[in-house]
Amino acid sequence: MGPRVVYRTRHRQPRACARYSAAVKAGNPTLSSYGTTIFEAMSALAREHAAVNLGQGFPDDRGRLDLRKAAADYVIDGHNQYPPMMGMPGLRQAVAAHDKRFYGLDVDWQTEVLITSGATEALLDCFLGLLEAGDEVVLLEPAYDTYAPVIRRLGVVPRAVRLVPPTWSLPRDELAAAFSPKTKLLVLNSPMNPAGKVFTHDELTFIASLVQQHDAFAVCDEVYEHLIFGTARHIPLMTLPGMRERALRIGSAGKTFSVTGWKVGYITAPAAVLRPITKAHQFVTFTTPPNLQHAVALGLGLDDSYFHGLGAPLARSRDRLASGLASLELPVLPCDGTYFVVLDVSRWLRPDEDDIAFCRRLVVEAGVVLIPMSAFYEAGPPRHLVRACFCKEDATIDAALQRLHSWVAKHR
Ligand SMILES: Cc1ncc(COP(=O)(O)O)c(C=O)c1O
């Protein structure tokens, strides 16, 4: 048995642990009510059914050998005690230089860069450092699944605005209406997981005007900043006029160097805004493994060709998967960046079947794991969309397509 998925159950009362129910009080009700994440649950199902896993977003690729060797050598030869709380100077300098090189940003590495244990911790630190109970946060859905639970746990109210598929267009009036005098910040994820959308300059200008109008912050989750395809261009919101003093940029070495297990993240923010966030980091993890910081600093210093070369092979994998899926009457929505495509499974849904039940059935019947898109919505999600991860070797993509082909042949 895999772990039980408890989906969108935040209104349920948590139960005390059955074995110790007489003696032990229940945990925090907000977090207890969320259950195991769909990613963990689907990966467990994948193992149980020996399925091809196009669910969780991690590459088959092992990452660059030079960076892995640098990390390994540092464990043997380097200083393995607590590094500085803000991050090792070499890495903070490398983040500032990277921001200058790719986006023309002038960043003071000593006061405006914080190293964290992954973008996940960076997001938590930003929320802990900036928000207080009663505030509101504007989110764009489909939204990466860690934002809302943490925001709710802080007693903050998420105001979700849904992008409209299939092109994931921005409903500008709804976005404007989601802001209020209580809005403390907006979370912007571009390139966007799971939609594969890269926000345009025009959309960013509109978003920036709302953020400024409401004197809010923008926490910009830019972990896929270099994973963009074709003519799409990643524009940090921080680079728009008036946004330098109110935007925070979050990057992740996991995505940029194909080492998702390393969990090294970095925040760039104005010094005064970063200060309370640094306090949060100080009490959450305090620091991040020094060998990994050392290797990521080397990585961020690689030639432009490394960063500019990341999109093309991923775009080829996207196209390989998308064309195979389309031939199985599983059309994919447009995707300009990230590791993911969204596919429309309407043709294959049973009456009364939702995306979660469909994905579970697909693991059992076809041996392929996909992620139901409802995992990325707070309430009332579309039920005909699922996410597939394409940052895989050709053999993995082909194996998934082969299995889906056999499954379709049986069910057509
Ligand atoms: C949009 C988004 N933000 C943040 C993260 C977390 O990044 P990290 O692994 O560096 O914690 C992910 C990972 O999948 C992501 O997709």
Side-chain angles (χ1 to χ4, degrees):
M1 282 284 289
R4 193 170 62 98
V5 184
V6 184
Y7 179 71
R8 295 294 170 238
T9 52
R10 70 174 180 275
H11 305 298
R12 275 193 206 164
Q13 286 305 309
R15 278 176 303 164
C17 166
R19 200 170 148 206
Y20 302 114
S21 56
V24 181
K25 290 179 179 168
N28 172 263
T30 308
L31 293 186
S32 300
S33 65
Y34 271 96
T36 306
T37 81
I38 192 79
F39 307 100
E40 191 60 27
M42 294 306 280
S43 287
L45 258 188
R47 286 191 292 276
E48 195 184 323
H49 292 274
V52 180
N53 192 352
L54 299 187
Q56 217 168 16
F58 59 88
D60 282 346
D61 171 8
R62 297 177 67 190
R64 290 176 63 106
L65 185 59
D66 53 355
L67 300 188
R68 288 189 283 128
K69 266 187 176 305
D73 289 347
Y74 193 95
V75 169
I76 303 301
D77 303 326
H79 181 72
N80 286 287
Q81 308 308 333
Y82 295 126
M85 186 269 284
M86 295 275 290
M88 283 159 63
L91 179 52
R92 283 147 69 204
Q93 285 160 4
V95 170
H98 165 278
D99 289 354
K100 177 75 178 171
R101 173 159 54 135
F102 291 102
Y103 310 120
L105 289 165
D106 287 308
V107 173
D108 176 354
W109 70 268
Q110 306 216 50
T111 59
E112 295 190 310
V113 177
L114 177 68
I115 307 305
T116 57
S117 292
T120 310
E121 192 218 319
L123 288 159
L124 174 65
D125 294 345
C126 290
F127 297 150
L128 286 172
L130 297 178
L131 295 170
E132 48 194 328
D135 286 343
E136 293 181 3
V137 166
V138 178
L139 297 177
L140 296 171
E141 285 185 335
Y144 183 56
D145 70 322
T146 65
Y147 306 151
V150 174
I151 287 167
R152 284 194 184 279
R153 177 67 183 84
L154 295 173
V156 170
V157 181
R159 297 274 174 226
V161 176
R162 293 153 153 244
L163 302 186
V164 187
T167 57
W168 304 113
S169 58
L170 184 67
R172 296 186 183 210
D173 291 346
E174 284 175 38
L175 182 60
F179 279 79
S180 84
K182 290 186 177 170
T183 306
K184 181 63 88 53
L185 61 87
L186 161 130
V187 182
L188 179 68
N189 174 214
S190 181
M192 188 181 202
N193 169 18
K197 176 184 173 79
V198 179
F199 285 72
T200 63
H201 190 271
D202 191 48
E203 289 169 327
L204 294 171
T205 303
F206 180 74
I207 292 169
S209 72
L210 288 175
V211 170
Q212 290 175 44
Q213 214 174 300
H214 291 85
D215 191 19
F217 296 109
V219 171
C220 302
D221 179 344
E222 302 183 4
V223 299
Y224 298 100
E225 59 189 321
H226 294 293
L227 310 185
I228 47 173
F229 317 135
T231 54
R233 198 160 66 92
H234 172 60
I235 307 167
L237 193 66
M238 182 180 267
T239 61
L240 268 63
M243 290 308 290
R244 180 65 176 84
E245 59 267 35
R246 55 181 73 248
L248 303 91
R249 233 178 72 68
I250 297 175
S252 167
K255 314 294 178 192
T256 299
F257 303 107
S258 289
V259 283
T260 57
W262 279 18
K263 303 297 282 187
V264 178
Y266 18 93
I267 307 175
T268 304
V273 180
L274 193 60
R275 224 167 280 130
I277 294 166
T278 302
K279 301 288 162 50
H281 167 70
Q282 165 174 291
F283 299 129
V284 172
T285 59
F286 181 71
T287 190
T288 297
N291 63 316
L292 301 181
Q293 293 198 47
H294 168 74
V296 172
L298 296 178
L300 287 174
L302 291 169
D303 288 348
D304 288 3
S305 58
Y306 170 73
F307 298 90
H308 294 318
L310 288 169
L314 274 173
R316 272 196 299 280
S317 299
R318 172 201 61 183
D319 294 344
R320 190 179 192 96
L321 180 63
S323 62
L325 289 171
S327 72
L328 301 174
E329 296 177 78
L330 287 164
V332 304
L333 278 49
C335 160
D336 291 326
T338 75
Y339 286 158
F340 310 106
V341 279
V342 175
L343 41 147
D344 182 335
V345 298
S346 313
R347 160 73 178 81
W348 301 103
L349 284 179
R350 287 178 175 159
D352 301 329
E353 188 176 46
D354 64 13
D355 54 341
I356 301 171
F358 174 81
C359 286
R360 287 184 154 274
R361 182 160 67 90
L362 205 67
V363 179
V364 177
E365 293 181 356
V368 175
V369 175
L370 303 173
I371 297 290
M373 281 289 279
S374 47
F376 304 96
Y377 289 83
E378 276 273 278
R383 293 302 199 180
H384 64 295
L385 300 176
V386 305
R387 189 192 80 171
C389 173
F390 56 77
C391 58
K392 304 290 177 186
E393 284 168 1
D394 288 354
T396 308
I397 292 175
D398 293 349
L401 288 172
Q402 183 58 49
R403 286 172 178 218
L404 288 171
H405 188 272
S406 308
W407 179 81
V408 161
K410 271 193 220 141
H411 291 81
R412 225 172 211 147

